[in-house]
């Protein structure tokens, strides 16, 4: 083995010496406008590399992507690559870690970038205390913060979502990862916890939430029983995992618990802990692109982490699998414009692109649509280069670009552009790299799969004392769709489920009733300050149909101290979750809602106490006098009063005389 | 005379039916108004209860249902809109009939036509609208009026059962057992009254326990949330704003104080006017109307319908004009101020709070005036002497 490695090392150095002029040449001819003939290069290098899996890219021209090497016969493209490869091989440090970046242009000059990082923990034996000091716990690539927390709370599966923005599914198609990896606006957390009872599970859940709150610098610790639900049909871990979750202690049960914080602002302080979880810590590999300013400057972004436990029954060992996904949708022209003009200023008149077919002079300019011929690089979008590859894994950092043939994607290594047949690039350099995209027609994007169902929810009514919720289901396909609708509403929305009704579009001549549409329903009414309304129902949406389901609710008043400081801003209602079960698996969420509650006058507590008490005192006092006092004529009363007065006078005189006596 | 009396009863039934037939949306509108519906009595929460019952969801333990389980069970059998309209109209007609029957008992002392009190009840807009709103206050009112009638007729068991029913439906009317005891002729009767009431209540609660699937949760959801004032909704009472604004650590104390306030004058009024137990009963009813946690205009309308029985005393009233004006002020301005606060946002909660204070003052001035009149006629030994100037010391 050592000998082999030595030989490889020697050949690498040889290659380096041999190739140096060629690479140098490459750099010089790295101008995309020239077609580079690199057949020499190809033939020369093929025998030596022998499929050892270096950079998959090939040197190509810009106009027609010319495939030079097949995937089987990859060629080295730079000397550093080889060196680096050998060093890691020699050290033998391989960790179960993978990272990928998928770049996908969307219609209207939007760009979806999906980062994914997969990590696997060291194997561990369930039911074994980790307090055995002879047994070292190695974490390697698995985030160290998680394992003790997962062990302590007996969490078998954990999903955490930080999402902000609006995913325009009508023009962008399905959500990334079929929606299973993005949450509603705000923070969403669900976990499967092994516990003896529901109450114990809730306690473990609180511990978990508090720990996560610390790790992610988010207000997850505000999750309490008034926000926590136990989903019945949604969020089933078996939806995605083929073989269910393991139970370590068979006297216990698994509890699925979920909560969401809709008003949580997602910002850079949440991204930093995400990057810190990765073994590369944002120092190398694709995670170097993750810059808070750019990620949160997007139209839609979703940070998610999923941890699962998978066990091998034969060896009785388990692993934790962590998957960290970061998806963003960026409007490319606006980001590029900001690069050019960090301080927003009006575009100078000579740079305005005006439609000359329409009236056009010094004062009028009808703007032309965005240019469809574009070229930009990822470093312009994220403001950073990709620094090398991750150096610790078998798999190199991989960047894939999903585009049509109107687009060209290149990896830019030291100013040289390389392309591949499948637009995927394995990064193996420890130097700055970049992905370059250009399109002759940016309107042509890779096929977008249409979302199976469109669901939107809105508030109805105008008063601050009551309102309604209206959810519109729209099935554009030709197949009936079965979905589970999950909704968790705050307790101060007092839902009247009896008012639930179905309205169907007038244009269709279909007749639908609630009973036909809703197949099963789970409803747990809210309990004041201790439980949210939990509503889950299975709906079948017939093909090419749109209908709405609505119901009414009352808004309760809160106690003086329960209103937040910005009470008149309103209360965020978390998004409803729609899980499509058939014909495909898909999950989507509605937008969050802003619920306005009527508020008391916050400056009034003392006044109210005084005024109400005065009225009560007045009523009580008057009644008390009436019931208790003697009724006499006014004359009698006068006499009695004067008698009282004279008595008082006598008493006073007596005291005075006594005093005088004492003096004397 | 007799024909006129029957006509007033028929008028009561017809007006309600005609109104709900002519304005079908009026019911929902009134059910949403804070003056006629509270979380404890609203028709929509009753409907929700029926819906939950029919669909096998748990009735209590959260949610919006705070009505008694047996009432919900009974209402689940009435599923047609017309039947409901007829049922509520019939219930109100029963109250009107009770008032007519009571008038017959006091026909010697009252110088008013026999049909007047029941006709006033039939046309009393507060009661009328409360009936249209299908507030469950009406069932309590039926129980209270029948308890009163039975007591006047000397039917101890009937009145005991009726007052137990009222107590079962909305807790606070059980306090009226005390003035009912005052109406008992002797100790034996009083003991029987209390025993039958307790037995009926026990049976009703046991039936509810059975009806809700052997669970005591309904106690906390109905009486518990009533006495602990758990649902913060604006209404015409004194409680809501006080408890919203109160500092949290004092809440239990003041909830106790407010409950004691309800109880405080029941026994004193009964004892003070033990010679006129019927009037003591009505004053106690008024006292509960003003102090209860979730009052509606239906409650005060019911109490005001007994004012004609005070006809001989009306001359003694010291400030009837002020009372009337306060009452009108509260009734007319409350929907406006509530609208300004909640819908338009151009007013704030203090607007409606002020109205609830005025309403309390209005009812208080009526009660105080009636009590004063009772004391005066007692002083004059039944022969009114309006010129005599009296005072209290």
């Amino acid at each position: 083995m050592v000998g082999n490695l030595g030989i490889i090392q020697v050949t690498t150095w040889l290659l380096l010496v041999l190739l140096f002029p060629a690479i140098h040449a490459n750099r010089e001819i790295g101008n995309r406008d020239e077609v580079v003939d690199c057949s020499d290069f190809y033939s020369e290098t093929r025998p030596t590399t022998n499929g050892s899996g270096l950079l998959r890219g090939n040197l190509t021209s810009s106009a027609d992507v010319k495939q030079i090497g097949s995937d089987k016969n990859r060629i080295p493209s730079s000397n550093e690559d080889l060196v680096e490869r050998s060093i890691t091989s020699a050290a033998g440090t391989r960790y179960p870690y993978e990272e990928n970046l998928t770049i996908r242009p969307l219609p209207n000059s939007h760009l979806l970038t999906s980062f994914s990082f997969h990590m696997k923990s060291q194997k561990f034996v369930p039911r074994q205390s980790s307090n055995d000091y002879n047994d070292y716990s190695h974490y390697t690539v698995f985030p160290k913060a998680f394992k003790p927390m997962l062990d302590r709370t007996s969490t078998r599966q954990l999903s955490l979502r930080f999402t902000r923005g609006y995913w325009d599914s009508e023009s962008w198609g399905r959500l990334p990862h079929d929606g299973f990896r993005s949450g509603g606006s705000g923070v969403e957390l669900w976990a499967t916890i092994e516990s003896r009872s529901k109450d114990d599970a809730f306690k473990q859940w609180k511990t978990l939430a508090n720990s996560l709150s610390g790790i992610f610098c988010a207000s997850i610790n505000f999750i309490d029983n008034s926000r926590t639900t136990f989903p019945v049909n949604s969020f089933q871990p078996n939806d995605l995992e083929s073989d269910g979750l393991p139970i370590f202690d068979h006297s216990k049960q698994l509890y699925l618990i979920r909560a969401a914080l809709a008003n949580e602002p997602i910002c850079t302080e949440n991204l930093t802990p995400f990057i810190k979880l990765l073994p590369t810590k944002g120092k190398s590999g694709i995670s170097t692109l993750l810059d808070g300013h750019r990620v949160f400057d997007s139209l839609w972004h979703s940070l998610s982490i999923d941890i699962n436990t998978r066990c091998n029954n034969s060896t009785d060992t388990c692993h934790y699998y962590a998957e960290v996904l970061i998806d963003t949708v960026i409007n490319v022209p606006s980001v590029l414009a900001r690069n050019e003009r960090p301080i927003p200023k009006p575009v100078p008149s000579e740079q305005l692109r005006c439609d000359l077919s329409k009236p056009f002079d010094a004062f009028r300019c009808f703007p032309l649509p965005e240019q469809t011929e574009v070229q930009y690089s990822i470093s312009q979008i994220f403001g950073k280069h990709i620094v090398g590859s991750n150096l610790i894994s078998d798999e190199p950092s991989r960047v894939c670009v999903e585009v049509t043939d109107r687009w060209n994607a290149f990896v830019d290594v030291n100013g040289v552009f390389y392309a591949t047949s499948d637009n995927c690039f394995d990064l193996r350099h420890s130097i700055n790299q970049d992905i370059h995209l250009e399109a002759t027609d940016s309107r042509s994007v890779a096929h977008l799969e249409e979302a199976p169902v469109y669901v939107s929810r809105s508030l109805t009514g105008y008063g601050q004392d009551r309102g309604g919720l209206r959810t519109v289901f729209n099935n554009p396909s030709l197949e009936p769709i079965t979905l589970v609708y999950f909704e968790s509403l705050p307790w101060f929305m007092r839902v009247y489920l009896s008012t639930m009704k179905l309205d169907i579009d007038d244009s269709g001549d279909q007749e639908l009733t609630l009973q036909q549409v809703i197949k099963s329903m789970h409803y747990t009414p809210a309990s004041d300050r201790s439980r949210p309304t939990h509503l889950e129902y299975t709906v079948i949406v017939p093909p090419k149909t749109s209908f709405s389901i609505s119901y009414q609710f009352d808004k309760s008043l809160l106690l003086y101290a329960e209103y937040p400081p910005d009470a008149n801003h309103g209360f965020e209602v978390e998004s409803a979750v729609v899980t499509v079960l058939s014909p495909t698996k898909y999950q989507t969420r509605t937008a969050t809602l802003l619920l306005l509650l009527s508020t008391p006058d916050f400056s009034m507590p003392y006044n109210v106490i005084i005024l109400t008490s005065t009225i009560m005192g007045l009523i009580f006092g008057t009644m008390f006098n009436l019931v208790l006092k003697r009724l006499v004529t006014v004359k009698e009363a006068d006499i009695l009063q004067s008698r009282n007065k004279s008595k008082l006078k006598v008493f006073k005189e007596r005291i005075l005389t006594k005093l005088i006596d004492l003096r004397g | 005379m007799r024909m006129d009396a029957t006509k007033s009863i028929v008028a009561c039934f017809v007006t309600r039916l005609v109104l709900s037939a002519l304005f079908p949306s009026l019911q929902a509108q009134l059910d949403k108004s804070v003056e006629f519906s509270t979380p404890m009595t609203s028709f929509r929460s009753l409907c929700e209860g029926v819906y939950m019952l029919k669909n096998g969801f748990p009735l209590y333990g959260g949610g919006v249902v705070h009505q008694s389980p047996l009432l919900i069970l009974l209402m689940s059998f009435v599923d047609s809109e017309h039947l409901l309209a007829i049922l509520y109209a019939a219930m109100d007609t029963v109250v009107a009939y009770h008032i007519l029957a009571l008038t017959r008992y006091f026909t010697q002392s009252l110088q008013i036509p026999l049909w007047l009190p029941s006709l006033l009840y039939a046309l009393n807009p507060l009661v009328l609208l409360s009936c249209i709103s299908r507030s469950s206050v009406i069932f309590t009112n039926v129980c209270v009026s029948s308890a009163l009638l039975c007591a006047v007729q000397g039917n101890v068991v009937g009145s005991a059962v009726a007052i137990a029913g009222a107590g079962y439906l909305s807790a606070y009317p059980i306090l009226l057992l005390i003035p009912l005891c005052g109406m008992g002729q002797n100790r034996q009767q009083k003991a029987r009254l209390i025993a039958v009431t307790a037995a009926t209540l026990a049976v009703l609660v046991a039936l509810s326990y059975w009806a809700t699937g052997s669970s005591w949760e309904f106690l906390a959801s109905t009486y518990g949330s009533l006495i602990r004032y758990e649902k913060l909704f604006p209404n015409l009472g004194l409680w809501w704003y006080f408890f919203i604004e109160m500092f949290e650590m004092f809440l239990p104390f003041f909830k106790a104080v407010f409950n004691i306030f309800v109880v405080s004058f029941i026994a004193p009024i009964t004892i003070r006017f033990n010679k006129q137990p019927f009037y003591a009963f009505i004053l106690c009813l008024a006292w509960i109307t003003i102090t209860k946690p979730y009052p509606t205009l239906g409650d005060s309308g019911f109490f005001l319908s007994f004012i004609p029985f005070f006809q001989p005393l009306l001359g003694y009233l010291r400030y009837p004009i002020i009372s009337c004006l306060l009452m009108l002020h509260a009734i007319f301005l409350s929907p406006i101020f509530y609208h300004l606060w909640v819908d338009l946002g151009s007013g704030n909660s203090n607007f409606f709070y002020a109205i609830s204070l005025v309403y309390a003052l209005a009812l208080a001035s009526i009660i105080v005036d009636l009590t004063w009149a009772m004391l005066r006629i007692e002083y004059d030994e039944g022969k009114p002497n309006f010129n005599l100037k009296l005072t209290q010391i």
Side-chain angles (χ1 to χ4, degrees):
Chain A
M1 187 65 194
V2 177
N4 280 347
L5 287 174
I7 290 164
I8 293 172
Q9 235 166 6
V10 170
T11 41
T12 351
W13 281 110
L14 270 173
L15 255 174
L16 202 139
V17 175
L18 281 171
L19 285 182
F20 190 75
I23 289 181
H24 206 72
N26 273 352
R27 272 183 200 156
E28 280 170 6
I29 56 169
N31 186 344
R32 287 172 295 102
D33 296 338
E34 290 172 41
V35 178
V36 181
D37 183 5
C38 48
S39 53
D40 294 349
F41 179 72
Y42 173 62
S43 58
E44 191 182 334
T45 53
R46 185 164 56 170
T48 40
T49 52
N50 203 11
S52 62
L54 297 172
L55 185 86
R56 215 186 275 183
N58 301 318
L59 193 60
T60 56
S61 72
S62 70
D64 49 340
V65 182
K66 205 160 80 182
Q67 186 183 344
I68 302 167
S70 72
D71 267 6
K72 279 176 193 166
N73 300 313
R74 295 167 197 167
I75 53 159
S77 50
S78 80
N79 46 355
E80 291 95 335
D81 207 352
L82 288 169
V83 176
E84 179 194 306
R85 172 77 183 163
S86 326
I87 290 166
T88 52
S89 308
T93 43
R94 298 277 195 275
Y95 294 107
Y97 173 72
E98 260 179 58
E99 58 178 33
N100 300 308
L101 166 64
T102 309
I103 299 166
R104 185 188 177 104
L106 295 173
N108 299 328
S109 308
H110 291 111
L111 184 72
L112 169 68
T113 47
S114 302
F115 296 81
S116 76
F117 309 93
H118 299 259
M119 290 163 271
K120 182 181 166 189
S121 77
Q122 296 292 91
K123 73 177 176 203
F124 63 94
V125 182
R127 295 176 293 280
Q128 201 175 65
S129 167
S130 57
N131 290 338
D132 182 4
Y133 291 105
N134 293 323
D135 181 27
Y136 291 103
S137 291
H138 292 288
Y139 293 98
T140 67
V141 289
F142 191 76
K144 194 184 167 190
F146 274 109
K147 191 167 178 290
M149 180 185 74
L150 296 174
D151 290 344
R152 193 166 73 244
T153 57
S154 299
T155 305
R156 301 282 160 264
Q157 177 266 325
L158 166 74
S159 298
L160 180 62
R161 307 277 184 268
F162 293 84
T163 313
R164 268 280 165 205
Y166 172 68
W167 176 270
D168 182 5
S169 59
E170 299 210 1
S171 57
W172 303 343
R174 289 186 175 212
L175 282 157
H177 320 285
D178 276 345
F180 285 101
R181 296 304 160 91
S182 45
S185 202
V187 178
E188 205 173 321
L189 172 69
W190 66 95
T192 313
I193 290 176
E194 184 180 310
S195 186
R196 248 173 246 297
S197 67
K198 206 170 173 176
D199 291 340
D200 284 349
F202 182 75
K203 276 181 200 148
Q204 286 158 253
W205 162 255
K206 268 302 280 182
T207 314
L208 180 71
N210 283 318
S211 309
L212 287 172
S213 173
I215 294 174
F216 288 103
C217 302
S219 335
I220 309 174
N221 56 322
F222 281 97
I223 288 175
D224 53 8
N225 49 4
S226 73
R227 297 178 197 268
T228 304
T229 50
F230 292 78
V232 179
N233 297 316
S234 306
F235 301 106
Q236 296 304 309
N238 298 355
D239 279 357
L240 291 176
E241 300 290 317
S242 51
D243 44 345
L245 292 169
I247 300 184
F248 291 172
D249 181 350
H250 286 278
S251 66
K252 294 182 179 175
Q253 273 184 298
L254 290 176
Y255 291 90
L256 174 62
I257 313 179
R258 177 199 179 263
L261 298 161
N263 54 352
E264 177 74 10
I266 315 297
C267 63
T268 45
E269 64 182 13
N270 303 122
L271 180 69
T272 313
F274 261 86
I275 297 171
K276 287 278 157 64
L277 291 180
L278 306 173
T280 53
K281 312 276 182 213
K283 303 285 184 211
S284 72
I286 56 171
S287 63
T288 48
L289 284 180
L290 291 169
D291 175 72
H293 293 286
R294 302 305 178 111
V295 170
F296 296 107
D297 198 18
S298 55
L299 296 175
W300 178 85
H301 48 261
S302 157
L303 321 180
S304 81
I305 179 159
D306 284 88
I307 298 177
N308 269 300
T309 316
R310 276 177 222 154
C311 289
N312 186 336
N313 286 335
S314 56
T315 56
D316 199 28
T317 52
C318 297
H319 292 275
Y320 287 125
Y321 285 82
E323 195 176 3
V324 176
L325 301 177
I326 296 172
D327 298 290
T328 60
V329 175
I330 288 168
N331 182 256
V332 176
S334 72
V335 171
L336 296 181
R338 191 170 298 188
N339 284 347
E340 271 174 40
R341 296 183 294 277
I343 300 165
K345 271 188 245 171
V347 180
S349 60
E350 61 274 12
Q351 284 176 30
L352 281 175
R353 298 175 58 247
C354 297
D355 190 347
L356 298 179
S357 64
K358 294 197 173 131
F360 167 64
D361 54 32
F363 302 101
R364 283 182 294 180
C365 171
F366 289 88
L368 282 170
E370 288 287 345
Q371 263 173 331
T372 56
E373 202 179 315
V374 293
Q375 46 176 300
Y376 52 86
S377 58
I378 287 300
S379 63
Q380 284 174 294
I381 302 292
F382 284 99
K384 289 177 172 180
H385 283 85
I386 303 175
V387 181
S389 174
N390 76 84
L391 302 173
I392 50 175
S393 149
D394 280 339
E395 301 290 325
S397 303
R398 189 157 220 248
V399 181
C400 285
V401 184
E402 293 177 1
V403 284
T404 56
D405 51 7
R406 298 289 188 89
W407 289 73
N408 289 319
F410 308 100
V411 62
D412 170 0
V413 185
N414 283 337
V416 189
F417 288 73
Y418 301 94
T420 55
S421 57
D422 58 352
N423 285 326
C424 281
F425 310 100
D426 283 357
L427 310 178
R428 290 179 186 277
H429 310 263
S430 53
I431 50 163
N432 284 0
Q433 290 154 97
D434 198 359
I435 305 293
H436 189 85
L437 298 172
E438 57 182 40
T440 50
D441 183 2
S442 65
R443 284 169 299 182
S444 145
V445 294
H447 173 68
L448 297 166
E449 224 177 322
E450 199 187 14
V453 67
Y454 298 108
V455 182
S456 65
R457 185 178 65 164
S458 50
L459 285 169
T460 59
Y462 57 91
Q464 288 186 346
D465 54 348
R466 61 181 53 82
L469 268 181
R470 184 167 175 276
T471 315
V472 180
F473 295 87
N474 178 15
N475 177 5
S477 72
L478 295 168
E479 282 180 279
I481 280 176
T482 310
L483 58 89
V484 179
Y485 181 83
F486 172 95
E487 195 166 51
S488 165
L489 302 170
W491 61 266
F492 41 81
M493 285 171 79
R494 291 161 51 87
V495 172
Y496 292 93
L497 212 58
S498 53
T499 57
M500 193 185 232
K501 70 176 200 294
L502 182 137
D503 288 307
I504 192 157
D505 216 357
D506 291 335
S507 57
D509 43 349
Q510 278 172 291
E511 284 289 316
L512 276 179
T513 60
L514 265 184
Q515 285 74 26
Q516 282 175 317
V517 164
I518 294 186
K519 288 303 154 194
S520 69
M521 190 190 281
H522 174 88
Y523 176 54
T524 316
S527 179
D528 286 8
R529 296 172 184 84
S530 65
R531 192 175 67 203
T533 301
H534 171 199
L535 179 64
E536 261 183 274
Y537 51 81
T538 310
V539 188
I540 293 179
V541 190
K544 293 273 172 207
T545 309
S546 167
F547 60 77
S548 73
I549 291 176
S550 60
Y551 46 84
Q552 306 297 311
F553 62 87
D554 278 355
K555 300 176 197 169
S556 171
L557 286 167
L558 305 182
L559 294 173
Y560 179 73
E562 284 176 335
Y563 286 94
D566 55 346
N568 285 308
H569 165 76
F571 294 75
E572 301 266 0
V573 178
E574 63 182 79
S575 41
V577 183
V578 176
T579 315
V580 179
L581 300 178
S582 77
T584 57
K585 296 255 181 192
Y586 184 69
Q587 196 169 63
T588 178
R589 283 163 172 82
T590 64
T592 54
L593 301 171
L594 194 60
L595 185 75
L596 291 172
L597 294 190
S598 44
T599 54
D601 184 341
F602 294 107
S603 63
M604 284 284 278
Y606 291 102
N607 302 345
V608 169
I609 294 166
I610 291 163
L611 287 171
T612 307
S613 304
T614 307
I615 297 281
M616 283 172 71
L618 187 73
I619 299 170
F620 187 90
T622 321
M623 279 302 280
F624 186 81
N625 280 339
L626 281 174
V627 172
L628 222 68
K629 278 188 175 174
R630 191 150 50 106
L631 205 64
V632 288
T633 54
V634 176
K635 250 182 215 169
E636 284 170 338
D638 283 347
I639 293 164
L640 284 170
Q641 235 158 17
S642 62
R643 202 183 286 166
N644 281 349
K645 223 178 252 174
S646 58
K647 260 185 198 169
L648 202 71
K649 243 177 216 168
V650 171
F651 184 68
K652 198 172 155 191
E653 273 165 16
R654 210 180 273 173
I655 288 178
L656 279 175
T657 47
K658 284 262 166 159
L659 277 174
I660 291 161
D661 284 355
L662 280 172
R663 269 190 194 171
Chain B
M1 192 77 164
R2 200 170 172 75
M3 265 314 282
D4 288 343
T6 327
K7 267 181 202 159
S8 72
I9 301 290
V10 174
C12 181
F13 190 66
V14 170
T15 45
R16 275 136 187 84
L17 272 190
V18 166
L19 255 186
S20 44
L22 279 182
F23 307 103
S25 63
L26 190 61
Q27 188 273 323
Q29 210 56 47
L30 286 172
D31 195 32
K32 284 174 185 165
S33 74
V34 281
E35 291 83 13
F36 289 100
S37 96
T38 65
M40 302 292 154
T41 59
S42 71
F43 181 67
R44 59 189 189 283
S45 79
L46 194 61
C47 288
E48 180 74 4
V50 172
Y51 176 85
M52 302 284 267
L53 192 71
K54 281 186 175 164
N55 287 281
F57 294 124
L59 263 182
Y60 300 103
V64 294
V65 186
H66 307 290
Q67 316 261 14
S68 308
L70 291 184
L71 180 65
I72 293 168
L73 197 64
L74 284 178
M75 292 305 284
S76 68
F77 296 115
V78 189
D79 45 6
S80 121
E81 187 67 17
H82 299 296
L83 264 179
L84 274 172
I86 291 170
L87 175 75
Y88 276 88
M91 281 294 154
D92 230 12
T93 314
V94 170
V95 180
Y97 169 74
H98 286 157
I99 287 174
L100 176 70
L102 282 169
T103 323
R104 240 175 241 145
Y105 266 87
F106 294 92
T107 190
Q108 277 88 40
S109 56
L110 301 177
Q111 275 102 49
I112 47 169
L114 184 60
W115 46 265
L116 187 68
S118 55
L119 187 71
L120 281 180
Y121 181 82
L123 299 179
N124 184 342
L126 303 184
V127 184
L128 181 62
L129 293 179
S130 177
C131 176
I132 300 294
S133 83
R134 296 189 188 158
S135 154
S136 60
V137 160
I138 198 162
F139 297 103
T140 314
N141 289 352
V142 169
C143 287
V144 169
S145 67
S146 58
L148 185 58
L149 181 64
C150 288
V152 168
Q153 287 168 340
N155 178 356
V156 176
V157 175
S159 82
V161 169
I163 204 67
Y168 170 76
L169 287 173
S170 53
Y172 284 105
I174 198 68
L175 295 172
L176 292 173
L177 182 63
I178 297 168
L180 277 183
C181 278
M183 291 167 96
Q185 302 296 318
N186 48 39
R187 271 200 180 177
Q188 200 192 346
Q189 262 192 1
K190 287 174 192 179
R192 217 164 85 200
L193 182 78
I194 293 171
V196 174
T197 309
T200 316
L201 262 185
V203 168
L204 286 172
V205 170
L207 276 177
S208 313
Y209 174 71
W210 166 78
T212 54
S214 308
S215 134
W216 291 114
E217 269 186 336
F218 76 94
L219 287 180
S221 268
T222 52
Y223 312 121
S225 57
L226 190 63
I227 288 165
R228 276 180 277 152
Y229 199 71
E230 282 174 354
K231 306 295 159 192
L232 294 170
F233 275 87
N235 59 43
L236 287 169
L238 288 168
W239 295 51
W240 68 277
Y241 208 48
F242 190 83
F243 286 112
I244 286 173
E245 297 272 5
M246 179 49 72
F247 307 104
E248 205 167 350
M249 58 203 141
F250 295 121
L251 282 178
F253 171 72
F254 277 103
K255 281 178 183 174
V257 168
F258 272 62
N259 273 299
I260 291 169
F261 190 53
V262 183
V263 181
S264 61
F265 268 102
I266 304 296
I269 290 173
T270 312
I271 294 165
R272 183 67 184 82
F273 299 115
N274 65 334
K275 300 261 171 51
Q276 292 96 12
F278 173 77
Y279 292 97
F281 184 95
I282 292 168
L283 285 179
C284 287
L285 181 69
W287 181 257
I288 292 175
T289 305
I290 186 174
T291 54
K292 70 192 287 191
Y294 296 99
T296 63
L297 282 181
D299 289 310
S300 63
F302 180 64
F303 149 65
L304 292 176
S305 301
F306 288 98
I307 296 285
F309 293 97
F310 289 87
Q311 182 266 328
L313 287 66
L314 292 181
Y316 288 121
L317 298 185
R318 288 183 290 185
Y319 25 82
I321 303 292
I322 294 175
S323 305
C324 282
L325 288 179
L326 280 174
M327 198 72 190
L328 288 176
H329 177 101
I331 290 172
F332 283 110
L333 282 188
S334 87
I336 296 170
F337 279 9
Y338 186 77
H339 181 68
L340 283 181
W341 168 34
V342 163
D343 297 331
L344 298 184
S346 49
N348 70 3
S349 48
N350 297 339
F351 283 52
F352 189 69
Y353 169 60
I355 288 301
S356 70
L357 290 183
V358 172
Y359 176 75
L361 267 184
L363 277 180
S365 78
I366 292 171
I367 295 171
V368 165
D369 234 7
L370 287 178
T371 313
W372 169 256
M374 293 281 294
L375 293 171
R376 273 302 310 266
I377 198 134
E378 196 183 66
Y379 187 87
D380 291 342
E381 288 161 347
K383 295 179 198 68
N385 178 8
F386 297 125
N387 297 324
L388 197 60
K389 292 261 182 284
L390 286 186
T391 186
Q392 283 191 307
I393 56 165

